[in-house]
Amino acid sequence: MNEQFIKLQKCFESIKEKIDFKPKVALILGSGLGDYAETIKVEATLDYHEIEGFPVSTVPGHKGRFIFGYVGEVPVVIMQGRVHYYEGYPISDVVLPVRLMKLMGAEVLFLTNAAGGVNYDFHAGDFMLISDHISNFVPSPLIGENMDELGTRFPDMSDVYDKELRAIIKETAKELDIKLQEGVYVQLTGPAYESPAEVRMCRILGGDAVGMSTACEAVAANHMRMKICGISCISNLACGMTDNPLNHKEVQEVADKVAPLFKKLVTESIINISKRL
Ligand code: HPA
């Protein structure tokens, strides 16, 4: 049997032994949203290192655990701390948590991240609804023997970021009077921020924001036919677009500053999405 699938099943069995909870929505928290769980009704938490065979994040400030609880009345599983490709894990490990959340029962994947703005119309502190992505700079998590139990060998990618979910999030932002940009997210490997020439390349390719996560998770979730949506917090304009050099601390500070608005948008969007599921 497929090695990846055995690993996935092992992790899933390990979770089932400890937690009995069926989420509807899976939420991945990006920078700035780390303490989102404080705003919800938590039922249980599970540290990643308690799950047999699970990849554990090494980035400072990234707590690694699943949180199970309710956003409003909606049962959710939240990833507090994601695994990044630049940490050195194989891409199949990077997306393993997403696959697990689908096995737990989640139908919707709500992705969040902090990203650099590539589009000159964007400003630090903006939010961008992800309309599509470019993931070709990292390996596809679907490479290797196909896990037929999860999805088809050649999945369609025409509507990865679900049109209906996007419409709901746009309406929600409008109701909350939160400005929402929309655009294409480009995933690069990191961990270095992009050079100005790479940022220009992203713009020429049609990108609006650049980051080091998310697209690979969407590819894996789309393979499993989850409904996907994503919002980037534009924490900075990408390298070369301003005179300021980038550093992680400042990027984090902007993400933290707009986090209260981001949390509101995520919470209300999840509630509105669940009404239409
Ligand atoms: N580039 C890549 N990832 C990022 C950035 C950036 O400028 N800002 C936040 N995450």
PDB file of all heavy atoms in Angstrom, residues 237-261:
ATOM      1  N   LEU A 237       4.576  45.500   1.469  1.00  0.00           N
ATOM      2  CA  LEU A 237       4.797  45.400   0.029  1.00  0.00           C
ATOM      3  C   LEU A 237       6.107  44.625  -0.142  1.00  0.00           C
ATOM      4  O   LEU A 237       7.019  44.744   0.668  1.00  0.00           O
ATOM      5  CB  LEU A 237       4.873  46.783  -0.598  1.00  0.00           C
ATOM      6  CG  LEU A 237       3.526  47.530  -0.680  1.00  0.00           C
ATOM      7  CD1 LEU A 237       3.677  48.833  -1.440  1.00  0.00           C
ATOM      8  CD2 LEU A 237       2.429  46.677  -1.328  1.00  0.00           C
ATOM      9  N   ALA A 238       6.166  43.811  -1.176  1.00  0.00           N
ATOM     10  CA  ALA A 238       7.301  42.888  -1.348  1.00  0.00           C
ATOM     11  C   ALA A 238       8.601  43.657  -1.625  1.00  0.00           C
ATOM     12  O   ALA A 238       8.576  44.856  -1.934  1.00  0.00           O
ATOM     13  CB  ALA A 238       6.987  41.906  -2.467  1.00  0.00           C
ATOM     14  N   CYS A 239       9.711  42.938  -1.522  1.00  0.00           N
ATOM     15  CA  CYS A 239      11.039  43.562  -1.628  1.00  0.00           C
ATOM     16  C   CYS A 239      11.204  44.365  -2.920  1.00  0.00           C
ATOM     17  O   CYS A 239      10.794  43.915  -3.997  1.00  0.00           O
ATOM     18  CB  CYS A 239      12.131  42.487  -1.606  1.00  0.00           C
ATOM     19  SG  CYS A 239      12.420  41.807   0.013  1.00  0.00           S
ATOM     20  N   GLY A 240      11.807  45.518  -2.783  1.00  0.00           N
ATOM     21  CA  GLY A 240      12.101  46.351  -3.943  1.00  0.00           C
ATOM     22  C   GLY A 240      10.983  47.320  -4.290  1.00  0.00           C
ATOM     23  O   GLY A 240      11.167  48.234  -5.091  1.00  0.00           O
ATOM     24  N   MET A 241       9.803  47.158  -3.680  1.00  0.00           N
ATOM     25  CA  MET A 241       8.671  48.035  -4.017  1.00  0.00           C
ATOM     26  C   MET A 241       8.688  49.308  -3.170  1.00  0.00           C
ATOM     27  O   MET A 241       8.042  50.285  -3.512  1.00  0.00           O
ATOM     28  CB  MET A 241       7.346  47.296  -3.841  1.00  0.00           C
ATOM     29  CG  MET A 241       7.182  46.156  -4.842  1.00  0.00           C
ATOM     30  SD  MET A 241       5.721  45.147  -4.525  1.00  0.00           S
ATOM     31  CE  MET A 241       4.372  46.271  -4.905  1.00  0.00           C
ATOM     32  N   THR A 242       9.371  49.253  -2.052  1.00  0.00           N
ATOM     33  CA  THR A 242       9.541  50.451  -1.217  1.00  0.00           C
ATOM     34  C   THR A 242      11.024  50.531  -0.870  1.00  0.00           C
ATOM     35  O   THR A 242      11.795  49.640  -1.227  1.00  0.00           O
ATOM     36  CB  THR A 242       8.733  50.354   0.098  1.00  0.00           C
ATOM     37  OG1 THR A 242       9.343  49.357   0.931  1.00  0.00           O
ATOM     38  CG2 THR A 242       7.283  49.984  -0.136  1.00  0.00           C
ATOM     39  N   ASP A 243      11.406  51.584  -0.174  1.00  0.00           N
ATOM     40  CA  ASP A 243      12.816  51.714   0.214  1.00  0.00           C
ATOM     41  C   ASP A 243      13.141  50.910   1.466  1.00  0.00           C
ATOM     42  O   ASP A 243      14.298  50.800   1.851  1.00  0.00           O
ATOM     43  CB  ASP A 243      13.156  53.196   0.474  1.00  0.00           C
ATOM     44  CG  ASP A 243      13.064  53.999  -0.817  1.00  0.00           C
ATOM     45  OD1 ASP A 243      13.266  53.396  -1.891  1.00  0.00           O
ATOM     46  OD2 ASP A 243      12.754  55.207  -0.755  1.00  0.00           O
ATOM     47  N   ASN A 244      12.094  50.344   2.107  1.00  0.00           N
ATOM     48  CA  ASN A 244      12.341  49.655   3.378  1.00  0.00           C
ATOM     49  C   ASN A 244      12.798  48.223   3.167  1.00  0.00           C
ATOM     50  O   ASN A 244      12.118  47.467   2.472  1.00  0.00           O
ATOM     51  CB  ASN A 244      11.046  49.572   4.214  1.00  0.00           C
ATOM     52  CG  ASN A 244      10.379  50.912   4.348  1.00  0.00           C
ATOM     53  OD1 ASN A 244      11.052  51.942   4.306  1.00  0.00           O
ATOM     54  ND2 ASN A 244       9.060  50.912   4.491  1.00  0.00           N
ATOM     55  N   PRO A 245      13.912  47.833   3.783  1.00  0.00           N
ATOM     56  CA  PRO A 245      14.234  46.403   3.783  1.00  0.00           C
ATOM     57  C   PRO A 245      13.229  45.655   4.655  1.00  0.00           C
ATOM     58  O   PRO A 245      12.630  46.260   5.542  1.00  0.00           O
ATOM     59  CB  PRO A 245      15.636  46.335   4.395  1.00  0.00           C
ATOM     60  CG  PRO A 245      15.916  47.665   5.008  1.00  0.00           C
ATOM     61  CD  PRO A 245      14.877  48.649   4.542  1.00  0.00           C
ATOM     62  N   LEU A 246      13.040  44.357   4.386  1.00  0.00           N
ATOM     63  CA  LEU A 246      12.036  43.584   5.143  1.00  0.00           C
ATOM     64  C   LEU A 246      12.672  42.861   6.310  1.00  0.00           C
ATOM     65  O   LEU A 246      13.793  42.380   6.201  1.00  0.00           O
ATOM     66  CB  LEU A 246      11.413  42.522   4.233  1.00  0.00           C
ATOM     67  CG  LEU A 246      10.425  42.988   3.190  1.00  0.00           C
ATOM     68  CD1 LEU A 246       9.849  41.786   2.463  1.00  0.00           C
ATOM     69  CD2 LEU A 246       9.315  43.804   3.827  1.00  0.00           C
ATOM     70  N   ASN A 247      11.952  42.822   7.408  1.00  0.00           N
ATOM     71  CA  ASN A 247      12.347  41.862   8.438  1.00  0.00           C
ATOM     72  C   ASN A 247      11.112  41.240   9.072  1.00  0.00           C
ATOM     73  O   ASN A 247      10.028  41.833   9.089  1.00  0.00           O
ATOM     74  CB  ASN A 247      13.302  42.473   9.468  1.00  0.00           C
ATOM     75  CG  ASN A 247      12.604  43.435  10.392  1.00  0.00           C
ATOM     76  OD1 ASN A 247      11.775  43.029  11.198  1.00  0.00           O
ATOM     77  ND2 ASN A 247      12.927  44.711  10.283  1.00  0.00           N
ATOM     78  N   HIS A 248      11.312  40.021   9.590  1.00  0.00           N
ATOM     79  CA  HIS A 248      10.190  39.202  10.053  1.00  0.00           C
ATOM     80  C   HIS A 248       9.408  39.920  11.151  1.00  0.00           C
ATOM     81  O   HIS A 248       8.174  39.856  11.193  1.00  0.00           O
ATOM     82  CB  HIS A 248      10.716  37.850  10.556  1.00  0.00           C
ATOM     83  CG  HIS A 248       9.657  36.907  11.031  1.00  0.00           C
ATOM     84  ND1 HIS A 248       8.651  36.444  10.214  1.00  0.00           N
ATOM     85  CD2 HIS A 248       9.424  36.356  12.239  1.00  0.00           C
ATOM     86  CE1 HIS A 248       7.855  35.646  10.904  1.00  0.00           C
ATOM     87  NE2 HIS A 248       8.299  35.583  12.145  1.00  0.00           N
ATOM     88  N   LYS A 249      10.130  40.637  12.012  1.00  0.00           N
ATOM     89  CA  LYS A 249       9.495  41.286  13.158  1.00  0.00           C
ATOM     90  C   LYS A 249       8.493  42.344  12.680  1.00  0.00           C
ATOM     91  O   LYS A 249       7.364  42.420  13.169  1.00  0.00           O
ATOM     92  CB  LYS A 249      10.575  41.913  14.043  1.00  0.00           C
ATOM     93  CG  LYS A 249      10.068  42.419  15.358  1.00  0.00           C
ATOM     94  CD  LYS A 249      11.207  42.643  16.353  1.00  0.00           C
ATOM     95  CE  LYS A 249      10.744  43.544  17.492  1.00  0.00           C
ATOM     96  NZ  LYS A 249      10.792  44.976  17.139  1.00  0.00           N
ATOM     97  N   GLU A 250       8.931  43.156  11.700  1.00  0.00           N
ATOM     98  CA  GLU A 250       8.033  44.217  11.211  1.00  0.00           C
ATOM     99  C   GLU A 250       6.834  43.651  10.464  1.00  0.00           C
ATOM    100  O   GLU A 250       5.727  44.162  10.555  1.00  0.00           O
ATOM    101  CB  GLU A 250       8.818  45.191  10.331  1.00  0.00           C
ATOM    102  CG  GLU A 250       9.660  46.133  11.176  1.00  0.00           C
ATOM    103  CD  GLU A 250      10.624  46.987  10.350  1.00  0.00           C
ATOM    104  OE1 GLU A 250      10.420  47.108   9.121  1.00  0.00           O
ATOM    105  OE2 GLU A 250      11.576  47.490  10.942  1.00  0.00           O
ATOM    106  N   VAL A 251       7.098  42.586   9.706  1.00  0.00           N
ATOM    107  CA  VAL A 251       6.018  41.900   8.988  1.00  0.00           C
ATOM    108  C   VAL A 251       4.981  41.395  10.004  1.00  0.00           C
ATOM    109  O   VAL A 251       3.767  41.592   9.855  1.00  0.00           O
ATOM    110  CB  VAL A 251       6.607  40.727   8.160  1.00  0.00           C
ATOM    111  CG1 VAL A 251       5.536  39.769   7.699  1.00  0.00           C
ATOM    112  CG2 VAL A 251       7.392  41.257   6.964  1.00  0.00           C
ATOM    113  N   GLN A 252       5.493  40.822  11.080  1.00  0.00           N
ATOM    114  CA  GLN A 252       4.637  40.288  12.144  1.00  0.00           C
ATOM    115  C   GLN A 252       3.848  41.416  12.816  1.00  0.00           C
ATOM    116  O   GLN A 252       2.661  41.266  13.126  1.00  0.00           O
ATOM    117  CB  GLN A 252       5.537  39.586  13.174  1.00  0.00           C
ATOM    118  CG  GLN A 252       4.801  38.780  14.224  1.00  0.00           C
ATOM    119  CD  GLN A 252       4.494  37.381  13.742  1.00  0.00           C
ATOM    120  OE1 GLN A 252       5.342  36.744  13.129  1.00  0.00           O
ATOM    121  NE2 GLN A 252       3.286  36.922  13.970  1.00  0.00           N
ATOM    122  N   GLU A 253       4.507  42.555  13.016  1.00  0.00           N
ATOM    123  CA  GLU A 253       3.845  43.674  13.698  1.00  0.00           C
ATOM    124  C   GLU A 253       2.633  44.181  12.913  1.00  0.00           C
ATOM    125  O   GLU A 253       1.598  44.482  13.489  1.00  0.00           O
ATOM    126  CB  GLU A 253       4.846  44.827  13.926  1.00  0.00           C
ATOM    127  CG  GLU A 253       5.696  44.605  15.173  1.00  0.00           C
ATOM    128  CD  GLU A 253       6.892  45.557  15.267  1.00  0.00           C
ATOM    129  OE1 GLU A 253       6.993  46.490  14.436  1.00  0.00           O
ATOM    130  OE2 GLU A 253       7.719  45.324  16.163  1.00  0.00           O
ATOM    131  N   VAL A 254       2.792  44.298  11.597  1.00  0.00           N
ATOM    132  CA  VAL A 254       1.653  44.748  10.778  1.00  0.00           C
ATOM    133  C   VAL A 254       0.530  43.715  10.850  1.00  0.00           C
ATOM    134  O   VAL A 254      -0.643  44.063  11.042  1.00  0.00           O
ATOM    135  CB  VAL A 254       2.067  44.995   9.302  1.00  0.00           C
ATOM    136  CG1 VAL A 254       0.859  45.321   8.442  1.00  0.00           C
ATOM    137  CG2 VAL A 254       3.090  46.105   9.211  1.00  0.00           C
ATOM    138  N   ALA A 255       0.909  42.437  10.731  1.00  0.00           N
ATOM    139  CA  ALA A 255      -0.101  41.373  10.794  1.00  0.00           C
ATOM    140  C   ALA A 255      -0.830  41.422  12.138  1.00  0.00           C
ATOM    141  O   ALA A 255      -2.056  41.281  12.196  1.00  0.00           O
ATOM    142  CB  ALA A 255       0.555  40.014  10.572  1.00  0.00           C
ATOM    143  N   ASP A 256      -0.078  41.654  13.218  1.00  0.00           N
ATOM    144  CA  ASP A 256      -0.697  41.727  14.554  1.00  0.00           C
ATOM    145  C   ASP A 256      -1.637  42.924  14.662  1.00  0.00           C
ATOM    146  O   ASP A 256      -2.693  42.842  15.290  1.00  0.00           O
ATOM    147  CB  ASP A 256       0.390  41.840  15.642  1.00  0.00           C
ATOM    148  CG  ASP A 256       1.156  40.540  15.820  1.00  0.00           C
ATOM    149  OD1 ASP A 256       0.663  39.496  15.345  1.00  0.00           O
ATOM    150  OD2 ASP A 256       2.249  40.570  16.404  1.00  0.00           O
ATOM    151  N   LYS A 257      -1.233  44.032  14.059  1.00  0.00           N
ATOM    152  CA  LYS A 257      -2.018  45.274  14.179  1.00  0.00           C
ATOM    153  C   LYS A 257      -3.410  45.125  13.543  1.00  0.00           C
ATOM    154  O   LYS A 257      -4.396  45.603  14.085  1.00  0.00           O
ATOM    155  CB  LYS A 257      -1.227  46.415  13.507  1.00  0.00           C
ATOM    156  CG  LYS A 257      -1.689  47.787  13.957  1.00  0.00           C
ATOM    157  CD  LYS A 257      -0.782  48.872  13.433  1.00  0.00           C
ATOM    158  CE  LYS A 257      -1.642  49.968  12.842  1.00  0.00           C
ATOM    159  NZ  LYS A 257      -1.013  50.645  11.727  1.00  0.00           N
ATOM    160  N   VAL A 258      -3.458  44.469  12.403  1.00  0.00           N
ATOM    161  CA  VAL A 258      -4.751  44.332  11.718  1.00  0.00           C
ATOM    162  C   VAL A 258      -5.475  43.034  12.104  1.00  0.00           C
ATOM    163  O   VAL A 258      -6.575  42.763  11.609  1.00  0.00           O
ATOM    164  CB  VAL A 258      -4.612  44.434  10.174  1.00  0.00           C
ATOM    165  CG1 VAL A 258      -4.108  45.809   9.781  1.00  0.00           C
ATOM    166  CG2 VAL A 258      -3.700  43.348   9.622  1.00  0.00           C
ATOM    167  N   ALA A 259      -4.851  42.269  12.997  1.00  0.00           N
ATOM    168  CA  ALA A 259      -5.433  40.968  13.380  1.00  0.00           C
ATOM    169  C   ALA A 259      -6.872  41.072  13.905  1.00  0.00           C
ATOM    170  O   ALA A 259      -7.705  40.225  13.545  1.00  0.00           O
ATOM    171  CB  ALA A 259      -4.535  40.253  14.379  1.00  0.00           C
ATOM    172  N   PRO A 260      -7.212  42.068  14.726  1.00  0.00           N
ATOM    173  CA  PRO A 260      -8.597  42.114  15.207  1.00  0.00           C
ATOM    174  C   PRO A 260      -9.623  42.177  14.066  1.00  0.00           C
ATOM    175  O   PRO A 260     -10.654  41.496  14.109  1.00  0.00           O
ATOM    176  CB  PRO A 260      -8.632  43.397  16.048  1.00  0.00           C
ATOM    177  CG  PRO A 260      -7.221  43.594  16.503  1.00  0.00           C
ATOM    178  CD  PRO A 260      -6.366  43.093  15.375  1.00  0.00           C
ATOM    179  N   LEU A 261      -9.318  42.977  13.048  1.00  0.00           N
ATOM    180  CA  LEU A 261     -10.228  43.052  11.890  1.00  0.00           C
ATOM    181  C   LEU A 261     -10.249  41.740  11.122  1.00  0.00           C
ATOM    182  O   LEU A 261     -11.306  41.277  10.657  1.00  0.00           O
ATOM    183  CB  LEU A 261      -9.745  44.132  10.928  1.00  0.00           C
ATOM    184  CG  LEU A 261     -10.342  45.522  11.005  1.00  0.00           C
ATOM    185  CD1 LEU A 261      -9.922  46.332   9.774  1.00  0.00           C
ATOM    186  CD2 LEU A 261     -11.882  45.464  11.078  1.00  0.00           C
TER     187      LEU A 261
END
